[in-house]
Amino acid sequence: MNKTFASITRWISETLASAWALAVALALVAFYLIAGPRLGFPAQPIDLSFCIAFSTFVLVFLIEHQGYVERAAMQVKLDEIISALDADRSKIGIEERPPKEIDRVRDQVREREGHRRVG
């Protein structure tokens, strides 16, 4: 179940981070504003609350896109550092693993580092 949930959430995140998601969202808003009253939906007045809601709506997609790009770039850089240092390569791609497994690996590293400092 964890792998299914992780793959679904990863797909949603990647989809929302794409430029197409913003384009589709803007097209839906434009469609609603133009065709909504003709289809029987109440007309949307263009007032301050609409402008705030619309800008928030757009910013969600922009922030998600930027965050996705930055996270992906950081993972590539970290993987490259691990490779360059000839460190434990089992950590490369750990972000793709289930959260419980990541927690287990983190606890093992902390425990190993803790024992190294004390002993």
Side-chain angles (χ1 to χ4, degrees):
M1 172 125 170
N2 283 337
K3 285 186 178 187
T4 304
F5 180 73
S7 65
I8 290 171
T9 56
R10 190 176 308 114
W11 177 81
I12 290 171
S13 179
E14 290 172 359
T15 302
L16 288 177
S18 73
W20 287 105
L22 178 60
V24 168
L26 292 174
L28 288 173
V29 169
F31 176 77
Y32 178 77
L33 290 174
I34 295 167
R38 294 180 189 159
L39 296 174
F41 294 108
Q44 175 65 49
I46 309 295
D47 59 357
L48 181 62
S49 65
F50 173 78
C51 292
I52 291 171
F54 181 73
S55 62
T56 302
F57 182 71
V58 170
L59 283 174
V60 166
F61 288 98
L62 295 176
I63 291 169
E64 181 64 27
H65 174 73
Q66 189 61 33
Y68 179 80
V69 169
E70 288 177 5
R71 285 188 305 272
M74 186 182 312
Q75 288 303 316
V76 169
K77 291 174 186 180
L78 290 172
D79 291 347
E80 184 65 25
I81 290 170
I82 290 171
S83 295
L85 293 176
D86 200 28
D88 181 8
R89 295 174 187 263
S90 67
K91 307 295 185 303
I92 293 177
I94 195 169
E95 68 277 1
E96 303 290 329
R97 297 182 192 169
K100 286 185 179 184
E101 188 175 339
I102 294 171
D103 291 341
R104 183 181 52 77
V105 171
R106 183 195 64 221
D107 293 344
Q108 288 173 349
V109 169
R110 286 181 179 171
E111 183 178 319
R112 185 179 67 231
E113 292 299 317
H115 287 285
R116 191 178 294 164
R117 283 189 213 124
V118 174

